[in-house]
Amino acid sequence: MMKRSIATLLLALLLLCGCCAAAAAADTAPQQSEQVTLAVKKALSIGDDYSDFYIETAEEAERLFYYLNWSNEQETLQVTADGTGKIYNFYRTDNGGVNSYEYGRFTPRLPKGDRAAAQQAAEAFLAAIAGTRESFVIYEQGDNISSREMRRISFFGSLSVNELPTPIGFSLSVDAAEMRVNSFSRDDLYMFYSDDLSKLTLPTKLFDADKAAALLKTQLQLRLQYALGDDGKTATLQYLPLPYDEQMVDAVSGQLFSAEELFKNSLSGRGDAVEQAAAAEDSASFNSLSGVEKAGVEQIEGTLSKEQLDTAIRAISELKLGRSFTLQEIRYAQDQDNDRITATLIYSAKADAATLGASVSALKWDPYISKTVTVNAVDGQLLSLYTSYPYLDTLRRSKTRNDLQSVADSFAATYAAERYTQTALADYRQEPVRIFYDYDSLYAQPSHRYDYEQQVNGYPYAGNAIHIAVNANNGAVDSFYIDWNEDIEFAAAAQIVDEQAALDAYAATFACQLSYTNAPTGKFNDYYGYIYTLKPVYTLTSDDYCYAIDAVSGQPLFYAESAALAAYDDIASSYARTQIETLAAYGVGFTGSSFRPAAQLTELDMLTLLISATGSGLIDDAETLYMLAADYGLFSGAQQPQRAISRQEYIKTIIAASGYGQAAGLNGIYRTGFADDWRIGRDYYGYVAIAKGMGMIGGDQYNRCRPADTATRAEAAVILYNYMNRSI
């Protein structure tokens, strides 16, 4: 019996444990196995050089899947296909080749091979496996390397049917050294559609696209308000889009509808699994303070006791805690920003119908409500409040938003008096925010939300606001917190364009697209969730996301597209230009437009460069860098961001984090051959020798290593490039 990979064994175990219908399904359609195998072999050009093959079947949600496995000493192929031979999942595992995971925590490599050629390989694979009426469109390429993946380039995209985009996505990876696909998966392996996509046709008569665009654009709304600029200090007047549920036009009837309307009628009949899971989380028992926590609390002098704080909070009648809520936990914490001590108290109570606006007697589980209250631990001043409700499909709101506004007004005036006088109630949120969960459920809190936004020069600034939510059934204040920054400068209210001109400019950034959307059929499967159909619709789309219209110029504002290749303006004459630009193409380097190749490498520079090589991006926050560096084994000890880093220390940092530290510590077995070999520090010698053996470093024109010299940023880039381009 050939030795199978861990991935193969795991798949077999999953099939044995989770696919109870496998044996029965195999009995129902043994005659299809040969046809499916032949179809897969033809699509993937699988030859006859595999020494082991086995096939398993499983019937899932009325679909029969075939799990085909080929293997030999070199590799294992695993394919999931349906009864027609359509491939849903493909995975190739090396049985004796290069392992994708190495010993150390820091092991990034540059992909070998050309990315354009890798995309050609991906497109050829996709064309070979596409079903009737199907095509695959690549819209994103995974250029960034990761800390462990060595030579794979990833691609992402969506499936098109009848040349129209669908919500069905796919992912694919290509071995860039050998230019072959290593993995592929399409989303509808895990979703169930009532349609046979190979037979799905477009209606012969479609609603006019121009009329659909006009309908959709009538739903766009803007609001003139201050918005914070990129500098984080200055706010300017902008027309910002109001939040709204995604709108669509039925491509046949021309009816305008929202995504919420599409789903809300299909929510009835869903099982209680999600609600039970959520309730279990909300109703979980809270532990009392441990001995260590109690000792820590006792060290905080001048704070109110748990009993005093509990009494003060229960005295806030608007919270309606009453006897039903039990104090479960209290935590004291030092607020570093304003040097105050806060206390957070967590209360819980069994929910009742009067609070939820829904019957709870028929539920098979006990729904609980949790309230988290944070106060100043010295004087008991209320700082924030949050209420967590169990998730229920149907909630009744017995009181309107207008009915309860006086409650919110009074609460804001009492507990945020200084800010309240500078605000006005935002008038554009009339309904509670509804939340989608994987398009299978739609939940809403049984409360109304009130946002009191700062007013400056007669215009609102939503960044500074008092936020309050009031339960629509019992009138209890459910949520309260303040966002406020006193250091913002507000630009003068200059002459601005009118709202219609801004709306026209905003609408012009969109195009009307005919595509498919997921529409629930009303049927439900315990394993897959809702069963969908693909519905042709018109929607507004845009290649570039317009986040606002400048109120002075009337011009659309777009988010700057982040580029993986940094356009450094000072490396044209650098000997390291090729290495720097290659690294930058994979997101490795420094922030800003200048690389400063001749500058001395500091501790912070070193961590910025090395952390970017893990696929974490270009980070300029020192705290985050040091935290990640510790995780990757790149740094420990006292932080000295501006400390100069020698060449030998930089080399040791990389080699040690790569898992070669123990080998490097073996004394007396290495010879570097450098002319200044004797200058290498004893604690660094093995690391430098290993680095030379790996091709990371070489001698200069005089065969010198210059180990104690401070490294330059250009030298650091070259050494890292050589390390990531290593052959061993």
Side-chain angles (χ1 to χ4, degrees):
M1 181 69 130
M2 296 296 298
K3 181 180 179 181
R4 293 188 183 135
S5 67
I6 293 177
T8 306
L9 294 175
L10 284 174
L11 177 61
L13 179 60
L14 287 172
L15 290 171
L16 288 172
C17 296
C19 302
C20 300
D27 292 337
T28 62
Q31 70 277 9
Q32 284 187 292
S33 299
E34 182 177 349
Q35 287 85 347
V36 171
T37 304
L38 287 172
V40 171
K41 285 189 66 176
K42 181 178 179 181
L44 298 179
S45 300
I46 298 175
D48 297 329
D49 51 349
Y50 291 92
S51 55
D52 191 17
F53 173 76
Y54 68 95
I55 183 170
E56 295 173 323
T57 63
E59 191 170 351
E60 302 171 1
E62 303 177 5
R63 293 189 296 179
L64 185 62
F65 281 121
Y66 292 78
Y67 299 90
L68 294 81
N69 300 264
W70 289 266
S71 64
N72 56 25
E73 291 185 356
Q74 287 74 42
E75 65 182 12
T76 295
L77 302 182
Q78 299 165 300
V79 179
T80 303
D82 66 11
T84 68
K86 180 187 294 185
I87 296 169
Y88 286 81
N89 194 68
F90 168 79
Y91 194 79
R92 185 193 307 271
T93 305
D94 258 333
N95 291 338
V98 181
N99 196 330
S100 294
Y101 295 93
E102 299 182 6
Y103 174 69
R105 284 179 280 176
F106 180 76
T107 57
R109 287 183 187 264
L110 290 172
K112 308 293 184 183
D114 180 72
R115 284 179 290 166
Q119 180 155 341
Q120 289 180 353
E123 291 171 344
F125 177 91
L126 294 171
I129 67 169
T132 305
R133 301 182 183 276
E134 294 181 351
S135 59
F136 295 92
V137 179
I138 294 174
Y139 59 73
E140 183 178 352
Q141 180 173 306
D143 284 340
N144 286 344
I145 51 93
S146 72
S147 62
R148 293 189 182 274
E149 285 293 330
M150 297 187 298
R151 56 186 185 184
R152 293 184 179 181
I153 296 180
S154 300
F155 298 90
F156 307 91
S158 65
L159 175 71
S160 289
V161 176
N162 297 319
E163 299 184 354
L164 296 185
T166 75
I168 301 170
F170 72 87
S171 61
L172 178 149
S173 70
V174 174
D175 184 315
E178 300 183 17
M179 290 302 161
R180 64 178 186 176
V181 172
N182 276 343
S183 66
F184 164 79
S185 180
R186 49 189 282 171
D187 291 350
D188 51 342
L189 172 62
Y190 311 104
M191 301 175 67
F192 185 72
Y193 288 87
S194 61
D195 312 298
D196 182 346
L197 301 187
S198 65
K199 299 178 181 179
L200 186 65
T201 60
L202 272 176
T204 55
K205 188 175 181 179
L206 296 174
F207 187 69
D208 184 76
D210 291 337
K211 292 181 179 179
L215 277 173
L216 291 167
K217 289 182 178 181
T218 62
Q219 303 302 300
L220 301 177
Q221 298 182 67
L222 299 175
R223 181 173 185 250
L224 182 59
Q225 57 185 291
Y226 276 102
L228 197 60
D230 293 337
D231 63 359
K233 299 177 181 179
T234 306
T236 59
L237 283 172
Q238 298 174 7
Y239 284 98
L240 270 64
L242 292 182
Y244 80 114
D245 192 22
E246 182 184 2
Q247 300 291 310
M248 307 176 191
V249 170
D250 188 301
V252 177
S253 69
Q255 178 186 0
L256 181 71
F257 61 93
S258 68
E260 177 186 333
E261 292 169 336
L262 186 65
F263 280 85
K264 69 180 180 181
N265 295 327
S266 300
L267 295 177
S268 59
R270 181 173 182 180
D272 293 330
V274 174
E275 290 85 349
Q276 291 175 4
E281 179 179 350
D282 281 340
S283 61
S285 61
F286 295 96
N287 297 325
S288 58
L289 290 177
S290 68
V292 174
E293 290 168 335
K294 289 180 179 179
V297 169
E298 291 172 357
Q299 294 176 3
I300 303 177
E301 298 180 357
T303 60
L304 299 175
S305 67
K306 177 180 73 173
E307 292 74 19
Q308 290 172 314
L309 290 171
D310 180 40
T311 299
I313 291 172
R314 291 182 183 276
I316 304 176
S317 59
E318 295 90 342
L319 305 189
K320 297 186 183 298
L321 289 176
R323 295 181 178 179
S324 60
F325 279 89
T326 302
L327 177 59
Q328 302 287 1
E329 183 176 348
I330 180 171
R331 298 174 184 169
Y332 290 84
Q334 183 76 33
D335 190 330
Q336 301 295 335
D337 292 335
N338 49 34
D339 196 29
R340 70 182 175 192
I341 299 173
T342 64
T344 298
L345 296 86
I346 300 176
Y347 298 83
S348 70
K350 185 176 179 180
D352 55 27
T355 302
L356 296 179
S359 174
V360 297
S361 59
L363 296 178
K364 300 176 183 178
W365 47 276
D366 290 333
Y368 274 77
I369 298 172
S370 174
K371 287 185 179 287
T372 302
V373 186
T374 300
V375 297
N376 186 311
V378 175
D379 58 16
Q381 176 189 359
L382 179 66
L383 300 177
S384 68
L385 161 70
Y386 174 73
T387 302
S388 173
Y389 286 101
Y391 296 129
L392 295 174
D393 285 348
T394 57
L395 292 174
R396 176 177 57 86
R397 298 176 182 82
S398 59
K399 298 178 183 178
T400 68
R401 190 170 185 269
N402 289 337
D403 292 338
L404 296 169
Q405 181 178 330
S406 60
V407 175
D409 290 344
S410 175
F411 197 83
T414 302
Y415 295 98
E418 181 181 354
R419 310 293 191 201
Y420 179 65
T421 58
Q422 305 175 48
T423 67
L425 181 63
D427 57 1
Y428 60 94
R429 286 195 179 101
Q430 297 300 323
E431 292 295 332
V433 176
R434 291 172 170 81
I435 307 170
F436 277 113
Y437 286 88
D438 300 327
Y439 287 104
D440 286 343
S441 288
L442 177 64
Y443 298 108
Q445 296 283 4
S447 53
H448 295 298
R449 176 175 170 177
Y450 303 86
D451 300 287
Y452 298 86
E453 299 173 344
Q454 183 184 15
Q455 303 294 303
V456 182
N457 299 322
Y459 300 103
Y461 172 58
N464 285 349
I466 305 164
H467 305 280
I468 296 175
V470 181
N471 184 286
N473 298 304
N474 65 8
V477 174
D478 279 346
S479 176
F480 168 73
Y481 63 97
I482 302 173
D483 287 325
W484 211 277
N485 183 353
E486 293 282 8
D487 298 328
I488 296 175
E489 299 178 5
F490 293 91
Q495 186 173 357
I496 59 176
V497 299
D498 61 57
E499 183 176 350
Q500 187 57 52
L503 195 55
D504 291 342
Y506 180 61
T509 66
F510 292 96
C512 186
Q513 181 185 53
L514 177 63
S515 62
Y516 286 107
T517 190
N518 284 334
T521 62
K523 298 179 180 179
F524 184 81
N525 178 274
D526 290 337
Y527 182 79
Y528 283 89
Y530 278 94
I531 298 174
Y532 297 103
T533 183
L534 288 178
K535 181 182 182 68
V537 295
Y538 290 105
T539 57
L540 292 180
T541 63
S542 177
D543 292 334
D544 300 313
Y545 178 70
C546 172
Y547 66 87
I549 301 295
D550 185 278
V552 176
S553 68
Q555 296 299 308
L557 301 176
F558 300 95
Y559 287 117
E561 184 176 353
S562 60
L565 177 59
Y568 295 122
D569 57 12
D570 58 351
I571 61 172
S573 60
S574 173
Y575 73 92
R577 176 179 177 176
T578 298
Q579 292 90 336
I580 292 171
E581 289 184 339
T582 301
L583 291 175
Y586 292 95
V588 181
F590 298 104
T591 58
S593 59
S594 298
F595 191 89
R596 297 190 293 120
Q600 290 189 335
L601 187 74
T602 65
E603 182 176 284
L604 195 62
D605 288 340
M606 177 179 71
L607 299 185
T608 301
L609 184 63
L610 297 183
I611 290 301
S612 69
T614 68
S616 302
L618 302 179
I619 300 172
D620 56 9
D621 177 68
E623 182 178 354
T624 302
L625 282 171
Y626 278 105
M627 178 187 69
L628 290 173
D631 290 342
Y632 282 103
L634 292 166
F635 185 83
S636 63
Q639 299 178 11
Q640 302 178 61
Q642 299 308 312
R643 179 175 65 90
I645 301 296
S646 68
R647 287 167 53 86
Q648 61 186 3
E649 181 179 356
Y650 178 66
I651 292 167
K652 179 179 179 179
T653 298
I654 295 175
I655 297 298
S658 302
Y660 296 103
Q662 186 172 0
L666 299 175
N667 295 321
I669 67 171
Y670 298 109
R671 291 293 181 269
T672 68
F674 289 123
D676 56 351
D677 179 273
W678 58 277
R679 292 183 179 274
I680 302 172
R682 180 177 180 180
D683 293 338
Y684 298 99
Y685 196 95
Y687 297 94
V688 173
I690 291 175
K692 184 182 181 184
M694 294 173 67
M696 289 172 58
I697 58 172
D700 62 13
Q701 58 185 346
Y702 304 109
N703 192 32
R704 296 177 304 181
C705 172
R706 299 183 292 107
D709 288 3
T710 298
T712 66
R713 286 161 66 115
E715 290 172 343
V718 171
I719 292 172
L720 179 60
Y721 170 87
N722 291 339
Y723 170 71
M724 295 177 66
N725 210 31
R726 65 196 182 278
S727 58
I728 60 173

